[in-house]
Amino acid sequence: MNGILLALYLFSRRSHRLANTLLGALLLAIGFRTAKSTFYYFNPDLAPVFLQLGLSACLLIGPLTYLYVHCYLADLAQRPPDKYWHGHLLVGCLLITMGVVFPYIDHASTRYYVICGIHAYWFLYLLLAGKQLWMSRALLAAEDRRRSLLLLSVYFGSFLILLAYVSTPFTSYIVGALSFTFSIHITILSYLLQNEVVADPEKKEKYQNRKLAQKDAIALLESLNKMMHEQQLYLNPMLSLAMLAKKMGSLQTTISQVINENSGKSFNAYINEFRIEYAKDLLVQESHLNMELVAERSGFNSDSTFFAAFKKITGQTPASYRAAFAAKPTSPPAAQDCQVSI
């Protein structure tokens, strides 16, 4: 019930819709697995079809954990998620369909190995999610710890549930359900803490009262522009407002205020202008580079984002810009008059 209620709450949120939807789906999958465990604990004669459906839910828990981590980190880095993220869920659904067509729960000789394979599949996705967390540790360190609490609690909660089910021969079968209850309450607590920080009127008023004077805001923007030119921070595709504020030694709200009010641009538009200027030089000076490499070297995470930003800022496509600045073919030199002496 906790999982269902929290999933409905996540589905209704507007911010970070994809990440919230994936987290809600993850809670439902874990809840389905836990419900089966609870019924089986009190009724060992449960129909085999329910046992198989409960185990099949594990084929979605791993991919959903990984996709939630992936999309959450993509939101923090202000980049689109992997365009093939649906494939992870399709593979899990395909495996579940194969289990329905060829029920493995009725075959005692292979049941143990199938269960081990399902848990290994779950563990593989936890390793992939852990790798993404490790590669994004700098991004997480620059963010508010309360925001990272939800992400880490979900990841380690999924890890805890898997560990509980794997260790049931040494403990009790109901431990999985208990660990789920513990992890879901930790997740709820982290959400409440996060919402309390965002909704705290005193803190909001404190930041509003720190509005910079126009002279100080212009000076800060000039310092920011200088640092962007000298250090080329925009080439980092993981650059976020929090990382930029940390570099400047200022609050995120201050940097956002300075950019919005004194340049008339959003943070993304401000960063993309630097990236597009860098890309324009690459298009002309490095004519052998294809568009994918130009986008990557300019700090963009995807080709589509690069093309859209380039078109919006310059009014033309990268290819047309390169063609306009390409060296025009030189006409052959005029034939020189030859005077023959006799």
Side-chain angles (χ1 to χ4, degrees):
M1 291 302 299
N2 284 334
I4 292 174
L5 293 176
L6 186 58
L8 293 176
Y9 169 69
L10 292 170
F11 292 151
S12 66
R13 286 175 62 89
R14 296 181 180 179
S15 60
H16 305 298
R17 183 177 298 275
L18 180 56
N20 284 333
T21 301
L22 291 170
L23 179 56
L26 172 62
L27 294 175
L28 291 179
I30 296 177
F32 196 91
R33 176 69 173 90
T34 306
K36 189 276 300 182
S37 302
T38 306
F39 281 110
Y40 181 75
Y41 181 78
F42 292 102
N43 182 19
D45 297 327
L46 198 64
V49 63
F50 292 106
L51 298 177
Q52 176 158 332
L53 288 176
L55 284 172
S56 298
C58 296
L59 293 171
L60 294 177
I61 297 177
L64 286 170
T65 303
Y66 165 77
L67 289 174
Y68 170 70
V69 171
H70 173 75
C71 291
Y72 197 101
L73 293 175
D75 286 337
L76 289 183
Q78 299 181 352
R79 58 178 172 82
D82 183 7
K83 58 182 178 179
Y84 300 111
W85 65 270
H86 309 81
H88 298 280
L89 295 180
L90 291 177
V91 172
C93 293
L94 178 61
L95 294 175
I96 293 176
T97 304
M98 292 177 58
V100 174
V101 177
F102 306 101
Y104 50 80
I105 202 69
D106 295 332
H107 304 282
S109 59
T110 60
R111 184 187 308 174
Y112 173 78
Y113 299 102
V114 171
I115 293 175
C116 290
I118 291 175
H119 287 160
Y121 183 76
W122 185 349
F123 181 68
L124 174 62
Y125 272 102
L126 288 179
L127 290 180
L128 293 176
K131 180 181 179 182
Q132 289 217 346
L133 287 172
W134 176 257
M135 294 176 63
S136 304
R137 60 190 185 278
L139 178 63
L140 292 174
E143 290 294 324
D144 188 349
R145 292 183 179 180
R146 293 182 178 87
R147 296 188 63 187
S148 302
L149 177 61
L150 174 63
L151 177 66
L152 297 178
S153 64
V154 170
Y155 173 73
F156 286 109
S158 180
F159 206 104
L160 173 65
I161 298 168
L162 174 61
L163 181 62
Y165 279 118
V166 171
S167 62
T168 50
F170 310 102
T171 55
S172 172
Y173 194 75
I174 201 64
V175 169
L178 295 177
S179 63
F180 167 69
T181 303
F182 173 77
S183 61
I184 197 66
H185 286 158
I186 293 296
T187 305
I188 292 174
L189 178 61
S190 64
Y191 252 100
L192 293 177
L193 290 175
Q194 181 182 358
N195 291 339
E196 181 182 354
V197 172
V198 174
D200 187 355
E202 294 183 359
K203 187 168 184 178
K204 183 177 180 180
E205 182 180 357
K206 180 175 70 173
Y207 284 124
Q208 288 178 344
N209 292 335
R210 291 185 178 181
K211 186 173 182 179
L212 291 178
Q214 184 66 20
K215 180 180 179 181
D216 296 333
I218 294 176
L220 183 57
L221 182 61
E222 291 177 352
S223 299
L224 181 60
N225 291 335
K226 181 180 179 181
M227 185 179 67
M228 293 293 291
H229 282 294
E230 293 179 351
Q231 301 185 23
Q232 295 185 317
L233 300 177
Y234 51 87
L235 297 183
N236 179 10
M238 305 293 287
L239 182 65
S240 65
L241 180 60
M243 296 172 65
L244 189 58
K246 189 174 182 180
K247 279 279 188 180
M248 291 293 296
S250 302
L251 295 172
Q252 295 185 46
T253 51
T254 302
I255 298 298
S256 178
Q257 171 196 333
V258 168
I259 294 176
N260 295 340
E261 296 182 0
N262 295 274
S263 68
K265 307 181 186 72
S266 65
F267 171 75
N268 284 337
Y270 174 76
I271 299 300
N272 283 342
E273 284 199 356
F274 286 99
R275 290 170 175 167
I276 294 302
E277 288 300 318
Y278 188 86
K280 287 163 66 175
D281 291 337
L282 287 180
L283 288 170
V284 176
Q285 300 175 10
E286 304 286 344
S287 57
H288 62 282
L289 296 178
N290 57 36
M291 297 303 170
E292 289 77 9
L293 285 176
V294 172
E296 180 181 351
R297 293 190 181 184
S298 302
F300 288 94
N301 286 285
S302 66
D303 303 339
S304 58
T305 306
F306 168 61
F307 290 130
F310 199 97
K311 177 73 173 179
K312 182 177 181 180
I313 293 175
T314 65
Q316 57 186 139
T317 64
S320 61
Y321 180 87
R322 170 177 278 175
F325 281 84
K328 297 181 180 180
T330 57
S331 57
Q336 297 179 351
D337 295 335
C338 299
Q339 296 181 353
V340 180
S341 298
I342 301 178

